[in-house]
């Protein structure tokens, strides 16, 4: 599977300009995993293949790229917070920065998750409202049309 976006697009869309992050921190496997877990679950395999081939550029730029960028960030953020070496796990440190509290780390993850959920819902709502424009889209394949989480309650229909 080819990746729909580049590591640089992830950084440009889901990280602040002041964040110091190398594109090498995002792997093709990270992008593929996020695509499969979050994007394909909404658009379905047929539409995903069309998007990967360059069809529907406005859908791609306006809806898929932002949602996928935040999906990748949501998946990689914990591994950015903790690193692995031959000696085991360690928290990245610098001379000028202090380690964030657990509360701050959890707040960051909640913020990333909320942005991701909002962008995924935006993509889903757009597809549902404009399904006639996307011949390959099947609303029955859209997981958000069958399951939602509101206030901690999972709703399946």
């Amino acid at each position: 599977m080819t990746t729909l976006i580049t590591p640089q697009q992830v950084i440009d869309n889901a990280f602040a300009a002041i964040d110091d992050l190398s594109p090498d921190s995002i792997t093709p496997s990270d992008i593929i995993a996020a695509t499969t877990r979050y994007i394909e679950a909404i658009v379905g395999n047929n539409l995903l293949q069309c998007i990967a081939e360059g069809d529907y550029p406005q859908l791609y730029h306006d809806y898929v790229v932002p949602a996928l960028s935040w999906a990748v960030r949501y998946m990689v953020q914990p591994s950015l917070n903790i690193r692995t070496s031959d000696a085991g796990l360690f928290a990245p440190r610098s001379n000028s920065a202090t380690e964030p509290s657990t509360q701050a780390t959890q707040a960051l993850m909640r913020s990333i998750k909320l942005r991701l959920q909002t962008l995924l819902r935006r993509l889903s709502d757009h597809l549902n409202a404009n399904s006639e424009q996307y011949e390959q889209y099947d609303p029955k394949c859209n997981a958000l049309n069958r399951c939602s989480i509101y206030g901690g309650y999972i709703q399946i229909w």
Side-chain angles (χ1 to χ4, degrees), residues 2-52:
T2 59
T3 59
L4 291 180
I5 60 176
T6 66
Q8 189 61 55
Q9 284 177 294
V10 173
I11 292 169
D12 292 346
N13 285 283
F15 289 87
I18 60 169
D19 290 334
D20 184 25
L21 189 66
S22 165
D24 293 336
S25 300
I26 310 292
T27 69
S29 296
D30 296 327
I31 296 169
I32 291 169
T35 301
T36 302
R37 182 175 177 106
Y38 294 102
I39 304 302
E40 186 175 1
I42 293 173
V43 304
N45 187 52
N46 292 336
L47 182 54
L48 183 65
Q49 291 304 316
C50 290
I51 294 168

Side-chain angles (χ1 to χ4, degrees), residues 1-135:
M1 176 182 210
T2 59
T3 59
L4 291 180
I5 60 176
T6 66
Q8 189 61 55
Q9 284 177 294
V10 173
I11 292 169
D12 292 346
N13 285 283
F15 289 87
I18 60 169
D19 290 334
D20 184 25
L21 189 66
S22 165
D24 293 336
S25 300
I26 310 292
T27 69
S29 296
D30 296 327
I31 296 169
I32 291 169
T35 301
T36 302
R37 182 175 177 106
Y38 294 102
I39 304 302
E40 186 175 1
I42 293 173
V43 304
N45 187 52
N46 292 336
L47 182 54
L48 183 65
Q49 291 304 316
C50 290
I51 294 168
E53 292 169 4
D55 295 342
Y56 308 115
Q58 185 172 2
L59 173 68
Y60 171 77
H61 290 289
D62 294 350
Y63 295 90
V64 174
V65 170
L68 182 53
S69 296
W70 282 95
V72 172
R73 179 162 185 190
Y74 183 66
M75 291 183 75
V76 303
Q77 187 66 53
S79 63
L80 295 174
N81 296 345
I82 300 290
R83 294 297 188 186
T84 306
S85 73
D86 292 338
L89 295 176
F90 67 95
R93 297 188 191 275
S94 75
N95 292 335
S96 61
T98 60
E99 185 175 338
S101 67
T102 300
Q103 185 178 12
T105 303
Q106 290 170 344
L108 172 63
M109 288 306 296
R110 282 192 306 272
S111 172
I112 294 169
K113 184 178 182 180
L114 180 60
R115 292 174 196 191
L116 170 58
Q117 289 173 333
T118 302
L119 290 167
L120 291 173
R121 177 55 64 189
R122 180 175 175 261
L123 169 61
S124 176
D125 289 349
H126 173 76
L127 289 171
N128 288 330
N130 300 284
S131 59
E132 71 282 349
Q133 294 178 25
Y134 308 107
E135 180 182 325

